[in-house]
Amino acid sequence: RDLHSFPTRRSSDLYSCKKVSPTRVESLLAASPLVEQAAVYGEGRSALAALVVPAARHGGSATCGLAHDAAELRAKIAAEIGLRLSVAAQEEQVREFVILDRPFSIERGELTPKLSLCRAVIAQNYAAELAAMDGAPTVIHAGQAPPLNVGR
């Protein structure tokens, strides 16, 4: 690992050290037909991590859960992250990710009425998933959704 090129602190929407904009990385990921939503985090991490909601036609949805073959979905998402971020700088590369089984929602406070991400609420709702990322992509199965955060 190059220990000098990773984000360590967050200031507004930019990470210090190499100044990585999570919005840019999220936009690159969300441009994929396999990805419905993505939230990127780097604060206190050795590399960027992403929470990824797969597109409904590729196994993700709030109502139908994940595809039957989670390993296949994980491999497809990993390949797609690599493809989408091939134009990104080294410090913008996502090294770890979790596949979620439900989209971010206004009701849980994760999205604004304009559908912008509320990163602090998402980080709070998925704190365990963000903390548990250890270099291996993970799938969060139905029944492990975080508690409802209304009014945030």
Side-chain angles (χ1 to χ4, degrees):
R1 279 189 173 159
D2 180 2
L3 298 178
H4 301 290
S5 66
F6 58 85
T8 57
R9 292 183 306 163
R10 183 165 173 187
S11 173
S12 182
D13 268 358
L14 295 176
Y15 293 102
S16 63
C17 284
K18 289 288 187 171
K19 299 289 185 185
V20 174
S21 170
T23 305
R24 173 177 150 66
V25 179
E26 291 160 356
S27 295
L28 290 170
L29 295 176
S32 166
L34 298 178
V35 177
E36 182 178 329
Q37 297 170 317
V40 174
Y41 293 88
E43 184 175 355
R45 307 186 68 81
S46 62
L48 293 182
L51 299 172
V52 177
V53 178
R57 65 185 175 279
H58 294 286
S61 160
T63 57
C64 70
L66 295 173
H68 295 306
D69 189 350
E72 181 182 348
L73 177 62
R74 185 173 35 248
K76 286 181 180 180
I77 296 289
E80 193 67 16
I81 288 172
L83 176 68
R84 295 295 164 172
L85 297 182
S86 64
V87 299
Q90 176 71 23
E91 59 272 6
E92 293 177 311
Q93 298 300 310
V94 169
R95 302 286 182 227
E96 304 169 311
F97 66 98
V98 172
I99 299 174
L100 306 176
D101 69 346
R102 69 164 182 82
F104 303 129
S105 71
I106 293 172
E107 295 78 19
R108 286 186 167 88
E110 298 160 340
L111 298 174
T112 68
K114 289 175 50 179
L115 302 181
S116 299
L117 296 177
C118 293
R119 284 185 191 81
V121 174
I122 293 170
Q124 179 183 0
N125 288 355
Y126 289 100
E129 290 81 2
L130 287 167
M133 278 193 252
D134 60 0
T138 307
V139 175
I140 303 302
H141 297 282
Q144 292 179 324
L148 187 63
N149 283 327
V150 179
R152 291 187 184 227

